[in-house]
Amino acid sequence: MATIHIRNLEIVTLNEDGTLLHDADLVVQDGRIALLGSAPVDLQPDEVIDGRGKVAMPGLINSHCHSPMTFERGWAEDLPFDRWLNEKIWVGESALTSDDVYWGAALAACEMIRSGTVAYNDKYFYMDRVAEVVRESGMKAALTWTVFGIGEETEMGRGLAGTVEWIKEMHETGEGRVRTYLGPHSPYICPPEFLSRIVEYAHELGQGIHLHLAESEDQVKQSLERYGLRPVQHVNSLGVFDVPGGCVAAHCLAIDDTDTRILVEKDVHVPHCPITYMKLAMPFPPLEARLNAGVNVCLGTDGPASNADMDMFATLRQTALIDKYQSLNSEMIPGDTALRMATQNSARALGFDDMGVLEVGAPADLILVNIDAPHMRPTHSLIANLVHSAKGADVTDVMVDGRWLMRARELKTLDERRILYEAEQHAQSMVQRGMSQVREYKG
Amino acid sequence: MATIHIRNLEIVTLNEDGTLLHDADLVVQDGRIALLGSAPVDLQPDEVIDGRGKVAMPGLINSHCHSPMTFERGWAEDLPFDRWLNEKIWVGESALTSDDVYWGAALAACEMIRSGTVAYNDKYFYMDRVAEVVRESGMKAALTWTVFGIGEETEMGRGLAGTVEWIKEMHETGEGRVRTYLGPHSPYICPPEFLSRIVEYAHELGQGIHLHLAESEDQVKQSLERYGLRPVQHVNSLGVFDVPGGCVAAHCLAIDDTDTRILVEKDVHVPHCPITYMKLAMPFPPLEARLNAGVNVCLGTDGPASNADMDMFATLRQTALIDKYQSLNSEMIPGDTALRMATQNSARALGFDDMGVLEVGAPADLILVNIDAPHMRPTHSLIANLVHSAKGADVTDVMVDGRWLMRARELKTLDERRILYEAEQHAQSMVQRGMSQVREYKG
């Protein structure tokens, strides 16, 4: 692969020392970062790019989402949670086809690349179609095919056995850009025997597990009634955290100190999706206890039917703002902490442990952000400006494994015009079909 | 002035019925909206614009800000409020010059236009220089020169008598685009006699008053100790709410039912600036009681040293999100309510009562927003997408009184390159001077 030389950059490395480089060079060779600092005069790159007025930083990583759900963006607004779910989300999804998933996921990929996301942890149905999007887009992703374990008729696409076959075919394909997780929905839907079977499969396949966990006090109460254990302790007792590929437990909003200790001991990755919690009016605690205890809290958008966007810059800022407000402590979540949660911490949750930092030898998974704009001036603090003032639209260029996915705001791998058209058609048609089915059923 | 015909638009009128027009025409004549709907075939416009893939909506209005403070953006991060103020904000401001204000305000104007703001309610010092920016930019603004009333040495620029002279010169200049307010800082800084003098001036000049009010329970306690009255009731007893130009009382976060009733009875305009409250970890209640009681709550960014941006789209979204979360009720602040707070309600706070709606005869103060982008698809709800998915950068065109301030993302009235350069230089120099002075003083 080519040698790419980007000059005159500000560089936010997010390495251990938090090194910032001013007016520096960044050289990419064979898909990895070959140099940061000052390029030798005899360098003979295939491509030279002027980075003046731009900052290079690690690409953002979305640690928990349901990307195809762009098809329900803006379709379930300002409703209480149960009506949001029962009258809208599930009604639309009842008519879901594999093609809806493909176009919804493709739309999400356009949005993610445009707002500086290079990798995502996606959990949904018909994930064979999302894998197509990952391969075509050039992004990296960990993919989880959600299963319920409460009757074949609820499984969209494939049951557990089917998703196991799919994982065998899929894991570490796409030049290593596609990883997989086993995907029980949650312990409040999946019976314990079903979770145990998944744990067995995980050991057999060398895989991890990605599930929803402890989203509310109601779930805690239900779990105590059913199993005599809180959700975290219940799934821990089933071995969910001891699987070879590790565990991603989204949300963990209703946890106590014992739960927190278990999450740390078992090195569980905990995606935090504040915009979704706020929009759906879900109670959630500030992050201090979890961060201080050493939980790997990472950032995600959750699905676009609840968040309304897949823009990790929006989530980055919201994470800092809501935590300062919740804890009534403006020192919480300084910019650097927020950035690491959205890069390195998220990278670990996807199993791409070498992502999320700019250093020699790391994969060239990076973004350029325009700082030559009114809202990014003055530059007293590049970090503060990136977290609190930058927007997804400030990202000008996106590179994964040394390949441009976006150059100067132009998508290089996806046919955006066609995707905008098809995604709109499929989304409208899907929710119409869903509503007709419900009317027939009720009639 | 010219006749401008914009075709093939989606139009969000925000009129009383909430009319949305699909694939419609919008005609501007002599700075006002002349037609919405279907243009006659024999229309002979001076300019025809294809609005396909765009929505026209009223321009956003920032009801409370300190625009020159862009110069301290990112300079006072993650600090407790008292250190934020004493060690940073006032240190920088101690070196403030009239030129710093001009370039800071010019930077803010670039940022505001780029993110769809057409008018703002600005409260700061050296407001003669902000007025220059308003005249040059073509925006509309209500300007307030802040005075403290506790000794001439604290007055930046002019004391009360000076600002009164300035108001006489300034009010309703700039083709009517510049309005003014008398500007006591707040009742916790300004002595009652000083507030009374300002009330007298307001009656004499036919002016209104723009101040900070009831920002914290501490202020309530202090006011009760000093005056035996809560802040709202204290300033009410001084006649602050009874002045001819009306009163803008920013924040009003610590209020009780009696306070609320007074704010309604006196038709006080209450700017709400949630991003600043969150970043500075200030407690604030949800809006339900105030909205149900009928308070004119409008939206603002507050200063960019606390908010970090002047993007009203960010404030629009945050208003809905934080209110749903605070009240644990996802039905709070539906999209339409948020949009009206950021347009019509804010317009009233500026004294531009005819702004904030697209209807025939209204001034052509409007923006075009690109909806042909991944994060704005599908379009199940234009309103939801505008509030929860749109970003300032989606604004492509901005018009005030029928004049383009931005066309196709290009600023038409301001020299953005020079402003970026000068604002950066002045901001850096100002904070350096401020810090040197503090070192000298301490040394």
Side-chain angles (χ1 to χ4, degrees):
Chain A
M1 276 177 80
T3 297
I4 302 170
H5 180 192
I6 316 177
R7 305 194 302 187
N8 310 121
L9 279 171
E10 307 299 300
I11 302 180
V12 172
T13 64
L14 295 183
N15 68 9
E16 254 180 67
D17 301 331
T19 307
L20 303 176
L21 299 172
H22 173 61
D23 197 11
D25 297 298
L26 188 156
V27 178
V28 173
Q29 255 163 2
D30 301 327
R32 292 189 173 266
I33 295 171
L35 180 145
L36 290 164
S38 198
V41 286
D42 61 349
L43 182 75
Q44 303 210 321
D46 303 283
E47 188 178 2
V48 179
I49 287 164
D50 185 12
R52 205 177 304 266
K54 296 198 172 74
V55 57
M57 61 178 277
L60 300 177
I61 302 174
N62 191 338
S63 66
H64 177 74
C65 59
H66 314 290
S67 78
M69 291 183 80
T70 53
F71 46 53
E72 288 181 330
R73 188 196 327 260
W75 193 60
E77 293 300 299
D78 311 315
L79 291 172
F81 185 83
D82 55 338
R83 293 187 56 200
W84 175 82
L85 193 63
N86 295 316
E87 295 177 19
K88 286 290 190 171
I89 301 307
W90 284 353
V91 169
E93 286 182 343
S94 71
L96 187 70
T97 68
S98 148
D99 276 353
D100 296 334
V101 166
Y102 175 81
W103 292 109
L107 187 70
C110 294
E111 180 181 1
M112 286 191 278
I113 295 170
R114 285 202 167 278
S115 52
T117 292
V118 294
Y120 59 116
N121 203 0
D122 212 31
K123 181 171 171 57
Y124 202 60
F125 313 103
Y126 302 112
M127 296 303 289
D128 48 339
R129 306 305 304 278
V130 181
E132 283 178 44
V133 171
V134 178
R135 282 194 297 266
E136 291 162 10
S137 67
M139 297 178 76
K140 293 182 179 178
L143 302 180
T144 307
W145 197 315
T146 297
V147 285
F148 296 103
I150 49 165
E152 285 305 308
E153 75 282 0
T154 65
E155 306 297 354
M156 276 184 269
R158 301 192 189 192
L160 178 55
T163 68
V164 165
E165 287 314 304
W166 172 77
I167 283 176
K168 286 180 186 168
E169 291 162 27
M170 195 58 56
H171 190 56
E172 293 181 352
T173 56
E175 303 93 44
R177 290 185 291 102
V178 180
R179 294 178 49 81
T180 52
Y181 277 112
L182 283 153
H185 182 278
S186 61
Y188 68 91
I189 289 191
C190 305
E193 311 72 48
F194 186 70
L195 290 174
S196 294
R197 275 178 61 206
I198 290 178
V199 170
E200 279 170 36
Y201 273 124
H203 285 283
E204 193 182 311
L205 300 165
Q207 281 281 305
I209 290 175
H210 178 187
L211 82 174
H212 298 102
L213 189 60
E215 296 157 299
S216 69
E217 290 299 338
D218 272 356
Q219 288 179 19
V220 173
K221 191 161 160 264
Q222 191 202 54
S223 181
L224 284 166
E225 282 168 12
R226 282 193 195 164
Y227 310 118
L229 290 170
R230 298 170 62 82
V232 169
Q233 295 167 40
H234 167 58
V235 303
N236 186 40
S237 76
L238 297 171
V240 166
F241 297 151
D242 299 310
V243 295
C247 182
V248 181
H251 314 316
C252 292
L253 305 180
I255 56 175
D256 68 7
D257 291 349
T258 306
D259 296 336
T260 303
R261 206 159 49 238
I262 293 169
L263 295 174
V264 175
E265 277 170 19
K266 302 290 183 169
D267 198 18
V268 177
H269 311 296
V270 179
H272 184 69
C273 310
I275 297 181
T276 280
Y277 311 152
M278 293 171 78
K279 189 146 188 281
L280 294 179
M282 296 162 67
F284 66 109
L287 290 171
E288 189 166 22
R290 274 172 282 177
L291 290 176
N292 288 350
V295 177
N296 184 44
V297 184
C298 36
L299 298 187
T301 57
D302 213 338
S306 49
N307 182 317
D309 75 27
M310 300 199 65
D311 182 335
M312 286 293 291
F313 274 96
T315 287
L316 202 54
R317 184 184 195 188
Q318 190 65 272
T319 300
L321 288 174
I322 189 63
D323 210 76
K324 291 169 191 293
Y325 172 70
Q326 287 176 308
S327 51
L328 292 180
N329 179 354
S330 52
E331 297 177 74
M332 289 307 298
I333 318 288
D336 177 70
T337 302
L339 283 172
R340 287 177 195 273
M341 288 167 76
T343 53
Q344 292 153 20
N345 294 14
S346 288
R348 293 192 54 228
L350 272 70
F352 291 111
D353 289 21
D354 55 358
M355 293 182 74
V357 62
L358 298 190
E359 62 189 8
V360 171
D365 301 328
L366 57 86
I367 60 179
L368 305 187
V369 181
N370 182 35
I371 53 174
D372 198 18
H375 63 289
M376 296 295 282
R377 295 279 161 177
T379 40
H380 296 305
S381 164
L382 206 47
I383 297 288
N385 286 3
L386 285 171
V387 173
H388 287 282
S389 309
K391 309 292 182 291
D394 296 317
V395 176
T396 57
D397 302 85
V398 174
M399 175 183 277
V400 171
D401 282 345
R403 177 187 183 197
W404 293 114
L405 310 193
M406 181 167 75
R407 267 294 287 133
R409 294 294 296 161
E410 192 190 319
L411 297 187
K412 306 303 281 183
T413 53
L414 293 171
D415 182 350
E416 190 175 29
R417 297 308 317 165
R418 178 162 183 213
I419 291 167
L420 285 172
Y421 174 81
E422 295 281 1
E424 181 82 48
Q425 301 305 313
H426 278 80
Q428 299 295 352
S429 159
M430 187 191 91
V431 301
Q432 290 306 324
R433 286 197 314 276
M435 287 194 294
S436 309
Q437 283 174 208
V438 167
R439 273 195 298 273
E440 271 175 41
Y441 178 77
K442 284 189 178 161
Chain B
M1 276 177 78
T3 297
I4 302 170
H5 179 192
I6 316 177
R7 304 195 301 188
N8 310 121
L9 279 170
E10 306 299 301
I11 302 180
V12 172
T13 64
L14 295 182
N15 67 8
E16 253 179 69
D17 301 330
T19 308
L20 304 176
L21 299 173
H22 172 62
D23 197 10
D25 296 298
L26 189 156
V27 177
V28 173
Q29 254 163 2
D30 300 327
R32 294 190 172 263
I33 295 172
L35 179 146
L36 290 164
S38 198
V41 287
D42 61 348
L43 183 76
Q44 301 207 326
D46 302 284
E47 189 179 1
V48 179
I49 286 162
D50 184 13
R52 205 178 303 267
K54 296 198 174 73
V55 58
M57 60 178 278
L60 300 177
I61 302 175
N62 192 337
S63 66
H64 178 72
C65 60
H66 314 290
S67 79
M69 292 183 80
T70 52
F71 48 51
E72 288 181 331
R73 190 199 322 261
W75 192 61
E77 293 299 301
D78 311 316
L79 292 171
F81 184 83
D82 56 338
R83 294 188 54 201
W84 174 81
L85 193 64
N86 295 314
E87 296 178 21
K88 287 289 189 170
I89 301 307
W90 284 352
V91 169
E93 286 183 344
S94 71
L96 188 70
T97 68
S98 147
D99 277 353
D100 297 334
V101 166
Y102 175 81
W103 292 111
L107 188 69
C110 294
E111 180 181 0
M112 285 190 280
I113 296 170
R114 284 200 168 281
S115 50
T117 292
V118 293
Y120 58 117
N121 203 0
D122 212 30
K123 182 172 171 56
Y124 203 61
F125 314 104
Y126 301 112
M127 296 304 288
D128 49 338
R129 306 305 305 279
V130 181
E132 284 179 43
V133 172
V134 178
R135 281 194 297 266
E136 291 161 10
S137 66
M139 297 178 75
K140 293 183 178 177
L143 303 180
T144 308
W145 198 317
T146 298
V147 285
F148 296 103
I150 49 168
E152 285 306 308
E153 75 280 3
T154 64
E155 306 297 355
M156 276 184 269
R158 303 192 187 189
L160 177 56
T163 66
V164 165
E165 289 312 305
W166 172 77
I167 283 176
K168 287 180 187 167
E169 291 161 25
M170 194 58 56
H171 190 58
E172 295 183 348
T173 58
E175 304 93 42
R177 291 185 291 102
V178 181
R179 295 178 49 81
T180 51
Y181 277 111
L182 284 154
H185 182 277
S186 59
Y188 68 89
I189 290 190
C190 304
E193 311 72 47
F194 186 71
L195 290 174
S196 295
R197 273 180 61 209
I198 290 179
V199 170
E200 280 169 36
Y201 273 125
H203 286 282
E204 192 182 314
L205 299 166
Q207 282 280 305
I209 290 176
H210 178 188
L211 80 174
H212 297 103
L213 189 61
E215 296 157 300
S216 67
E217 290 299 337
D218 273 357
Q219 288 179 18
V220 174
K221 192 162 161 262
Q222 192 203 53
S223 181
L224 284 166
E225 282 167 13
R226 284 193 193 164
Y227 310 117
L229 291 170
R230 301 170 58 86
V232 168
Q233 296 166 40
H234 168 58
V235 303
N236 187 39
S237 75
L238 298 169
V240 167
F241 299 151
D242 299 310
V243 295
C247 182
V248 181
H251 313 316
C252 293
L253 307 180
I255 56 175
D256 68 8
D257 290 348
T258 307
D259 296 337
T260 302
R261 207 161 45 238
I262 293 169
L263 296 174
V264 176
E265 276 169 18
K266 302 290 183 170
D267 198 19
V268 177
H269 312 296
V270 179
H272 184 69
C273 310
I275 296 181
T276 279
Y277 312 150
M278 293 171 77
K279 190 146 188 281
L280 294 179
M282 296 163 68
F284 65 110
L287 290 171
E288 189 167 22
R290 272 173 283 177
L291 291 177
N292 288 349
V295 177
N296 185 43
V297 183
C298 36
L299 298 188
T301 59
D302 214 338
S306 50
N307 181 318
D309 74 28
M310 301 200 63
D311 182 336
M312 286 292 292
F313 274 97
T315 288
L316 200 56
R317 185 186 194 184
Q318 190 66 272
T319 300
L321 287 175
I322 189 62
D323 210 77
K324 290 169 190 291
Y325 172 69
Q326 288 176 308
S327 51
L328 293 181
N329 179 355
S330 51
E331 297 176 74
M332 290 305 298
I333 317 290
D336 177 70
T337 302
L339 284 171
R340 288 176 194 272
M341 289 167 74
T343 52
Q344 292 153 19
N345 295 14
S346 289
R348 293 191 55 225
L350 272 69
F352 291 111
D353 290 20
D354 56 357
M355 294 182 73
V357 62
L358 299 190
E359 60 189 10
V360 171
D365 301 328
L366 57 87
I367 60 179
L368 305 187
V369 181
N370 181 35
I371 52 174
D372 199 19
H375 62 289
M376 295 295 280
R377 295 276 162 179
T379 40
H380 296 306
S381 164
L382 207 48
I383 297 289
N385 285 4
L386 285 171
V387 173
H388 287 282
S389 309
K391 310 289 183 291
D394 296 318
V395 176
T396 57
D397 300 86
V398 174
M399 175 183 278
V400 171
D401 281 345
R403 177 186 183 199
W404 293 112
L405 310 192
M406 181 165 77
R407 268 293 289 134
R409 297 289 301 156
E410 193 190 321
L411 297 186
K412 305 304 281 182
T413 53
L414 294 170
D415 183 351
E416 189 175 30
R417 299 308 316 165
R418 178 159 183 217
I419 291 168
L420 285 172
Y421 174 82
E422 295 282 1
E424 180 82 48
Q425 303 303 314
H426 279 80
Q428 299 295 350
S429 159
M430 186 190 92
V431 301
Q432 290 305 323
R433 287 197 313 277
M435 286 192 295
S436 310
Q437 283 173 208
V438 168
R439 272 194 300 272
E440 271 175 42
Y441 177 79
K442 284 189 177 160

